[in-house]
Amino acid sequence: MATCFSPQAQTLIVAFMMSLLLPLTTSFTVIVSDSGNQSALVDGPQSGFMMNKNGARTEAREQEAVYDIMRATGNDWATDIPDVCRGRWHGIECMPDKDNVYHVVSLSFGALSDDTAFPTCDPTKSYISKSITKLPHIRTLFFYRCFSYNPQPIPSFLGQLAPSLQNLVLRENGHVGPIPTEISNLTSLKVLDLHKNNHNGSIPVSLGRLAGLRSLDLSGNKLTGSIPGFSFPVLNVLDLSQNLLMGSIPPTLAFCPSLIKIDFSRNRLSGSIPESFGGLKELILMDLSYNRLSKPLPISIRSLNSLEALILKGNPMGATTLAREEFDGMKSLMTLILSNTNLHGPIPESLGRLTSLRVIHLDGNHLNGSIPTNFKDLKNLGELRLNDNQLTGPVPFGREMVWKMRRKLKLHNNTGLCYDANSGFEDGLDSTFDSGIGLCNSPEPSSARTVQHLSAIDGAIMPSTTKESSAAVHEASVIVRLLQQTIAIVFFLIFISR
Ligand SMILES: *[C@@H]1O[C@H](CO)[C@@H](O)[C@H](O)[C@H]1NC(C)=O
Ligand SMILES: *[C@@H]1O[C@H](CO)[C@@H](O)[C@H](O)[C@H]1NC(C)=O
Ligand SMILES: *[C@@H]1O[C@H](CO)[C@@H](O)[C@H](O)[C@H]1NC(C)=O
Ligand SMILES: *[C@@H]1O[C@H](CO)[C@@H](O)[C@H](O)[C@H]1NC(C)=O
Ligand SMILES: *[C@@H]1O[C@H](CO)[C@@H](O)[C@H](O)[C@H]1NC(C)=O
């Protein structure tokens, strides 16, 4: 595996995630291969469904351990199964050694979707059995919604699963207390996912020892303190969103050169985006929305030419005027969300040259001047919010663009925005929709009109070309949405580590 994703690999990720997400996760079993020689297992994927070699048996101690683990999650039925590696249930994976003895390499629990057939847990009384430490070959542990009504800390004995454990996923389990520092002993970890628990305390600095991490998701907890100065050489995904993190964003994160996704949204981070982030050449998604960042964008990030989504909504950003060339280098940008970021001055014309753009939100700022005329060249644009600014002059869109965006074009509450009589703008409007702006040079200035937002009534009759272009827009927003869901990437990473 390369240390970073090439464009082809990115396409693969997206394709893979698409296949996963419709529905959320289709049924598939995680099978891991023996990538190192630490456990001396025979290579090649094996599952309970494939193993029928005569005489092959599960190692007795591991078999007892699996019974314990199954009992601890309310799955007592498993103890009736004479050989767990041949027990034919999804959620257990085994591999043989050269003596044809089977070892447990993966255990998964929880109803992730209607299609996954992992054993479920009794959420009122389940716990993680200490017998898990009797599985010396275990590489993947996956518990989803298992302990929700029996709140418990993550047991520190999981730290003893080094060096075999590679993927530790404990999602939406209701785990309480701090993240145990013993997790930092799992030096082979590639995926650490503790999304949506109730962890408090700070992020252990010792996690920095996990040099092989590809995905770190601690989102949706109650973590406090500041973000440690991590530098993970092969990390692709860093999701710390929806916590209570404070302080500034550490510049050392730029020493995670393989990052494709950074999500720190909904915390209390202050200061600025580090200048060093300009070096994150693989970055596709950066979401820092709803923090307290108070400084303008550093010049260096203008060269992030892989970036497809920049989301900074809801940060005060220090009364910035956007430079003429502000977004010049962001050639891949599809989604730009800068709502309520205290922007002043004109919209830079350079934005109109980023022809990949699908979604632009600049609403709730103090932007003045007119909408750059080259915005009409943004053929992929499907969503534009410029409402609640001080923009003036004619809107540069004709019928077709207005048709395409329909109610996703928001222009209301601008001091002097208007449309030219012969532009076709009005023809493009849905007759039930008030765009919030009036005719240029009309005796009644638009700002004096009562601007009302009608509730969306879809199903207006649209020309078929418009439907096709909105499909393209939809597809682009799906990519961004998928990237926003770490679980899809986690599955991808576990999958490719086979
Ligand atoms: C594992 O691989 C290393 C070199 O890659 C080798 O020196 C060592 O003997 C191997 N161990 C076993 C148990 O095969
Ligand atoms: C973790 O590693 C440290 C040394 O790095 C050791 O002292 C400690 O006992 C280990 N803890 C576990 C749970 O393995
Ligand atoms: C975490 O929460 C528990 C109660 O749920 C509390 O007793 C403990 O002091 C908290 N720890 C920190 C570091 O905030
Ligand atoms: C637009 O805003 C900038 C920055 O606030 C200000 O300096 C400039 O005078 C404004 N221009 C107009 C025409 O209002
Ligand atoms: C209009 O937009 C400004 C921001 O430019 C905002 O402060 C104001 O509340 C908005 N007015 C209405 C009626 O929403």
Side-chain angles (χ1 to χ4, degrees):
M1 254 302 294
T3 55
C4 59
F5 290 132
S6 63
Q8 295 91 319
Q10 286 165 13
T11 313
L12 183 65
I13 293 178
V14 170
F16 178 86
M17 293 193 301
M18 294 265 203
S19 69
L20 265 182
L21 267 271
L22 309 164
L24 176 66
T25 43
T26 52
S27 155
F28 84 93
T29 315
V30 180
I31 300 165
V32 284
S33 74
D34 192 14
S35 50
N37 68 354
Q38 63 199 9
S39 54
L41 300 185
V42 174
D43 212 348
Q46 306 279 329
S47 79
F49 297 93
M50 297 175 198
M51 288 181 293
N52 47 18
K53 284 185 191 165
N54 287 339
R57 293 210 56 82
T58 304
E59 207 270 330
R61 228 169 95 88
E62 295 184 35
Q63 164 114 348
E64 285 306 316
V66 170
Y67 287 156
D68 289 347
I69 296 159
M70 293 298 275
R71 271 192 292 262
T73 52
N75 290 293
D76 299 61
W77 52 266
T79 56
D80 293 334
I81 291 173
D83 189 316
V84 294
C85 284
R86 298 206 245 176
R88 294 175 183 269
W89 80 78
H90 278 285
I92 184 165
E93 304 300 334
C94 304
M95 288 176 64
D97 62 19
K98 57 187 183 316
D99 300 321
N100 225 6
V101 175
Y102 280 99
H103 301 281
V104 180
V105 295
S106 173
L107 285 175
S108 303
F109 294 88
L112 194 57
S113 77
D114 290 346
D115 300 306
T116 46
F118 298 152
T120 54
C121 304
D122 177 345
T124 61
K125 59 173 193 179
S126 292
Y127 61 96
I128 301 180
S129 165
K130 195 173 181 194
S131 294
I132 232 156
T133 59
K134 296 175 191 163
L135 300 175
H137 305 278
I138 191 84
R139 293 171 191 176
T140 297
L141 269 185
F142 184 100
F143 286 92
Y144 174 74
R145 293 192 182 168
C146 270
F147 320 108
S148 320
Y149 302 104
N150 185 22
Q152 56 196 283
I154 292 180
S156 58
F157 59 69
L158 290 187
Q160 295 168 29
L161 298 177
S164 68
L165 199 66
Q166 296 178 1
N167 305 300
L168 179 59
V169 180
L170 301 170
R171 276 179 90 87
E172 298 183 37
N173 280 325
H175 288 300
V176 294
I179 296 170
T181 52
E182 287 82 357
I183 298 278
S184 316
N185 283 19
L186 297 169
T187 48
S188 305
L189 272 194
K190 292 176 179 170
V191 171
L192 177 58
D193 181 346
L194 308 178
H195 170 74
K196 235 174 166 184
N197 286 294
N198 284 312
H199 291 302
N200 61 4
S202 52
I203 300 175
V205 177
S206 57
L207 289 183
R209 289 168 53 201
L210 303 176
L213 272 187
R214 292 182 172 282
S215 176
L216 177 60
D217 183 350
L218 307 177
S219 61
N221 284 286
K222 294 172 182 151
L223 298 169
T224 51
S226 53
I227 300 174
F230 290 136
S231 58
F232 297 108
V234 294
L235 194 70
N236 297 131
V237 173
L238 182 55
D239 190 343
L240 306 176
S241 62
Q242 300 180 62
N243 279 292
L244 305 168
L245 299 167
M246 295 174 73
S248 52
I249 300 172
T252 54
L253 289 179
F255 300 120
C256 304
S258 306
L259 278 172
I260 60 172
K261 166 179 168 172
I262 292 178
D263 189 349
F264 296 163
S265 61
R266 295 178 194 272
N267 278 288
R268 298 166 180 181
L269 300 169
S270 54
S272 61
I273 299 174
E275 189 77 37
S276 60
F277 273 25
L280 295 170
K281 298 299 183 202
E282 308 289 325
L283 203 61
I284 295 179
L285 180 140
M286 174 152 66
D287 187 349
L288 306 175
S289 58
Y290 300 108
N291 275 290
R292 296 171 185 174
L293 300 175
S294 59
K295 300 275 167 54
L297 293 174
I299 290 171
S300 64
I301 74 158
R302 290 180 194 168
S303 62
L304 291 176
N305 55 16
S306 293
L307 199 65
E308 291 179 16
L310 178 62
I311 306 171
L312 301 175
K313 184 178 185 171
N315 282 286
M317 297 309 277
T320 321
T321 308
L322 293 171
R324 216 176 246 281
E325 59 285 349
E326 191 75 46
F327 305 103
D328 260 4
M330 297 187 186
K331 301 287 186 216
S332 309
L333 204 61
M334 287 199 255
T335 299
L336 178 66
I337 312 280
L338 299 176
S339 317
N340 304 102
T341 46
N342 206 7
L343 297 172
H344 287 69
I347 298 174
E349 205 183 278
S350 57
L351 205 52
R353 288 194 288 269
L354 300 178
T355 50
S356 300
L357 277 168
R358 265 80 166 163
V359 178
I360 302 176
H361 294 185
L362 298 173
D363 52 296
N365 285 296
H366 307 282
L367 297 167
N368 62 12
S370 53
I371 303 176
T373 49
N374 62 1
F375 266 40
K376 69 176 180 328
D377 304 328
L378 293 171
K379 297 291 180 226
N380 295 308
L381 197 63
E383 197 171 318
L384 178 64
R385 291 188 195 167
L386 298 174
N387 52 287
D388 302 312
N389 279 294
Q390 282 117 49
L391 297 166
T392 53
V395 173
F397 305 130
R399 192 175 111 136
E400 196 164 325
M401 272 193 94
V402 177
W403 246 335
K404 193 166 77 174
M405 292 192 265
R406 298 208 271 163
R407 293 195 174 86
K408 291 183 173 171
L409 175 62
K410 294 193 173 154
L411 302 171
H412 60 275
N413 187 19
N414 276 289
T415 37
L417 220 47
C418 59
Y419 61 89
D420 280 327
N422 55 359
S423 65
F425 179 88
E426 202 178 21
D427 302 343
L429 288 178
D430 187 332
S431 60
T432 62
F433 179 57
D434 183 349
S435 66
I437 60 169
L439 198 57
C440 294
N441 306 317
S442 86
E444 189 192 8
S446 63
S447 53
R449 297 172 59 205
T450 321
V451 171
Q452 233 179 356
H453 237 35
L454 302 180
S455 64
I457 308 157
D458 265 286
I461 298 151
M462 290 294 139
S464 60
T465 52
T466 307
K467 280 188 180 152
E468 280 157 29
S469 13
S470 45
V473 167
H474 178 73
E475 191 184 304
S477 58
V478 166
I479 293 169
V480 171
R481 226 177 60 225
L482 285 170
L483 268 173
Q484 285 172 323
Q485 292 189 293
T486 312
I487 183 90
I489 304 172
V490 162
F491 268 102
F492 177 75
L493 292 169
I494 295 176
F495 184 75
I496 59 171
S497 71
R498 287 167 57 159

